[in-house]
C-alpha cells in the first residue's frame, strides 16, 4: 500500500544538525512533488519545504538558509537536512505528498531542540 515512513528525529542542542529521511513505497515516487511539514505543540501544521519532480525547492522563510530538502529517486527517499537548529524548530516533522488528489502522510518524527 501507499506508505511514507519518516526517521531521523531526536534530541539535539541549539546550533546542532539533524537529517530526516522519508522512505516512500507503494507508488511511483519520482513523479510526485514531496513536502516536509511540521507541527509544534499547540500550533497548526506548517509547510517547511517542497521539492518538485525536477528538483526545484521552496522553503518557509523561517528555515531558509538553514534547511535543505533533497530527494533520491533511486532510493524512493526524500531528505531534510536541518542545520543551525533553534528551540523553535522543535516539532513533529511529517513527510507528505499529494497523489491522485489525495494527501498522503507519514506518521511523523519528533525533533526536540533543547540544551
Amino acid at each position: 500500500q501507499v506508505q511514507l515512513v519518516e526517521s531521523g528525529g531526536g534530541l539535539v542542542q541549539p546550533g546542532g544538525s539533524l537529517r530526516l529521511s522519508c522512505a516512500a513505497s507503494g507508488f511511483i515516487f519520482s513523479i510526485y512533488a514531496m513536502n516536509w511539514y511540521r507541527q509544534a505543540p499547540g500550533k497548526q501544521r506548517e509547510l517547511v519545504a517542497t521539492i518538485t519532480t525536477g528538483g526545484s525547492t521552496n522553503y518557509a522563510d523561517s528555515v531558509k538558509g538553514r534547511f535543505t530538502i533533497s530527494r533520491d529517486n533511486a532510493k524512493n527517499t526524500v531528505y531534510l537536512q536541518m542545520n543551525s537548529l533553534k528551540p523553535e524548530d522543535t516539532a513533529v516533522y511529517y513527510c507528505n505528498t499529494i497523489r491522485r488528489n489525495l494527501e498522503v502522510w507519514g506518521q511523523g518524527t519528533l525533533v526536540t531542540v533543547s540544551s
Side-chain angles (χ1 to χ4, degrees), residues 38-94:
R38 68 185 180 186
Q39 187 166 20
K43 295 189 176 181
Q44 287 191 327
R45 195 171 293 190
E46 64 170 343
L47 179 61
V48 174
T50 295
I51 186 164
T52 68
T53 56
S56 297
T57 58
N58 197 30
Y59 299 93
D61 286 344
S62 58
V63 307
K64 273 181 186 175
R66 301 188 298 122
F67 290 12
T68 302
I69 188 172
S70 61
R71 65 190 299 160
D72 185 337
N73 289 336
K75 295 182 178 181
N76 290 346
T77 300
V78 61
Y79 303 97
L80 186 68
Q81 177 66 44
M82 306 186 296
N83 299 328
S84 302
L85 283 161
K86 305 175 181 180
E88 51 264 42
D89 295 317
T90 295
V92 178
Y93 284 73
Y94 298 91

Side-chain angles (χ1 to χ4, degrees), residues 21-37:
S21 300
C22 171
S25 60
F27 64 101
I28 304 174
F29 175 79
S30 62
I31 66 173
Y32 293 96
M34 298 297 298
N35 308 300
W36 283 99
Y37 282 78

